[in-house]
Each structure stands twice: as structure tokens, then as C-alpha cells.
Amino acid sequence: MSPSDDTQARVIAALSGASVRRVTTGQTILDGIDWSVRSGEHWALLGANGAGKTTILRLVGALMFPTAGTVEVLGHRLGTVDVRELRAAIGLVSSAQKVPVDLPGHTVVLTGATGTVQPLWKKYDEATRERAHALLTELDCKELADRPYGVCSGGQRARLLIARALMADPSLLLLDEPFNALDLPSREDLIDTMHELALNRPELATVTVTHHLEELSPAIGHAVLLRDGRVQAKGPVADVLTDAGMTACFGRPIEVTRHEGRWLARSGRR
């Protein structure tokens, strides 16, 4: 039974009429978004540049507030809760995260326990250090424990950042273009990692922002298509990732195929 079929699956995040407008220019970034994520669900956010994907991720990550509507995360409505405590219970992975290049992999993961850029050594007891080692093993990168972050490949860095995000044992993991600039082998390794993570952590909910269907692991069961700050389509991937849906979202003819749980999108002639 999938999480969406389970009536006991709890709502992890919910947006109701959520809009974001830039005060200085009046520009609408998001317009009346209604969307929810339940425990164990794995969502993809897709759309062209400027569609509003990262803004939704920032709302769900309690990094910003809507200018209209409501956002609830982990049972708390933004604006009525200390967002610093809320953020500590949310895992965030972004290729834009700043990590000191001289830190070894184990230390990078350790900093996830304190949510800091630099390690706070007095905060890490033996159990915390062991947890970091266990996560390196789970993410199949234990060989990176002593390797400086700066000499790790893009794929290795991505796995370290995911391990770091899992240090707080979050209910929600947000991934903002985690495949950015990865070569093909690194991309496939990371897709395998995300698939295994979903299998090993059935209660964890994830939301992945990406531009490419090829980057979706077989674990992704739901998708949102965004265009110009509005939801074009949302729901199970089989209903959303269609030729017609992708064509309407991206504004040019797109053909979608699926093989053994993996997706491929190709653009035809106009």
C-alpha cells in the first residue's frame, strides 16, 4: 500500500492558497498554491526556470513566509511557531550549500547535528559521532570519512550533504537540484542512493526540485508541474508526467516515456 492510500499517513507539509509576491515590484512569484505532502511520499517539483519551484521549497523548508494563504509544516503553521526549531527538523540539500572545503567528510556530516557550517566539537558526543559514521555507510560513502570535501566529486559531495541532512533524523527531506552539474555515472549513483533511502526509511517524505525527468528515481511517486507560479498539474506521476501535461507545462511538444520505473522526456518539433 502506498503512503497516499494509507489513511493514517500524517500530513508533513500543506500549502493552502499560498502566494508569494515581491513587495518592491508587485511581481507574483507563486499564485494560490494548494498542495500537501504526507509521510512516506516522494514528490518531484518540475517546471521551467522561474516557475516557482525553489520558492515552494523555501516555504516548505520554513525559510520564508507566504504573503497570502497559509503554510503548515510538521503540524505547525508558519507565523505561529519559532521557525528556527522547525528548520532543525527539516533536512535540506542544495548544491549551493556553503561547506568549508578543508573539512573531512565525517566532519561535514557531523555539522548536521548542530545545523552549523563549522563544527561545534563540544556538542558531539560519541553517539553522535557514531551516527555520522553509520550515515556515511548507509549512503555508501564511508570511504569519504577522512577525505577533504574540496577534493570530493560532485556526486560524492551530494551524498555527504544528504548524510548531513539526515543527522537530525528529519521527517522531511528537501532536495534543491541535487543533480546539478553531475556527470552520468555520478547522477546514476545518486539516483540509486535516493531509491535505497526511500526503501530503507518508509516514513521519510522527500521533495526534489529538478528540471529533468531522467533524474527521478523509481521511488518518486508524485509530481507537481509548475508554470508561471501556478500549479499546472499535481498527483501520482502516471497521471501528471504525460505528453500533454509536460507540453502544457513547458510550452513546446514533449514526448514522455517510462521504462522500469525511470522516465525520459524528449522534445519534438514545434
Side-chain angles (χ1 to χ4, degrees):
M1 179 181 294
S2 69
S4 57
D5 295 329
D6 184 356
T7 56
Q8 300 303 312
R10 65 189 181 105
V11 175
I12 299 296
L15 281 65
S16 180
S19 297
V20 174
R21 294 181 176 84
R22 190 165 286 141
V23 176
T24 53
T25 63
Q27 178 187 5
T28 298
I29 309 299
L30 291 177
D31 189 8
I33 304 295
D34 295 313
W35 175 54
S36 62
V37 178
R38 293 181 176 272
S39 59
E41 290 183 343
H42 303 286
W43 285 80
L45 296 184
L46 294 136
N49 288 335
K53 303 184 298 296
T54 296
T55 302
I56 286 184
L57 216 63
R58 288 177 59 80
L59 288 175
V60 174
L63 295 171
M64 66 183 299
F65 297 89
T67 51
T70 62
V71 176
E72 294 190 5
V73 183
L74 301 177
H76 300 281
R77 180 172 296 186
L78 297 191
T80 66
V81 63
D82 186 340
V83 292
R84 292 171 298 181
E85 295 182 8
L86 201 53
R87 289 169 190 161
I90 302 169
L92 175 63
V93 175
S94 170
S95 58
Q97 282 174 279
K98 303 299 182 184
V99 176
V101 295
D102 60 326
L103 291 186
H106 182 261
T107 303
V108 171
V109 178
L110 266 181
T111 60
T114 46
T116 55
V117 174
Q118 294 289 348
L120 302 179
W121 294 112
K122 293 183 179 180
K123 299 284 187 178
Y124 309 138
D125 58 17
E126 188 60 30
T128 304
R129 294 168 186 261
E130 285 301 317
R131 176 168 172 74
H133 279 297
L135 284 169
L136 285 169
T137 300
E138 181 181 354
L139 274 294
D140 195 26
C141 55
K142 61 182 180 181
E143 75 280 2
L144 304 179
D146 299 318
R147 188 175 303 176
Y149 185 79
V151 301
C152 291
S153 69
Q156 291 169 340
R157 291 184 182 190
R159 292 203 296 278
L160 286 174
L161 292 178
I162 293 171
R164 179 184 185 275
L166 293 173
M167 276 297 290
D169 197 22
S171 300
L172 176 64
L173 181 63
L174 307 176
L175 301 108
D176 191 3
E177 299 190 40
F179 303 94
N180 188 36
L182 297 188
D183 60 21
L184 180 60
S186 296
R187 184 192 76 180
E188 293 301 304
D189 286 345
L190 186 55
I191 289 170
D192 290 343
T193 294
M194 295 307 302
H195 193 200
E196 288 296 320
L197 192 64
L199 295 176
N200 295 334
R201 296 171 177 261
E203 294 300 312
L204 179 67
T206 68
V207 180
T208 302
V209 167
T210 181
H211 289 287
H212 307 291
L213 296 193
E214 295 78 9
E215 295 174 350
L216 302 183
S217 90
I220 297 290
H222 297 78
V224 176
L225 298 182
L226 292 167
R227 181 167 181 171
D228 298 330
R230 297 180 178 88
V231 172
Q232 197 85 12
K234 63 182 177 182
V237 285
D239 299 334
V240 174
L241 302 181
T242 63
D243 294 359
M246 292 290 287
T247 295
C249 181
F250 288 92
R252 64 178 300 147
I254 294 178
E255 297 177 359
V256 178
T257 56
R258 190 180 193 185
H259 178 66
E260 296 183 351
R262 295 292 300 278
W263 296 88
L264 172 67
R266 295 182 298 174
S267 180
R269 295 183 180 274
R270 293 180 182 272

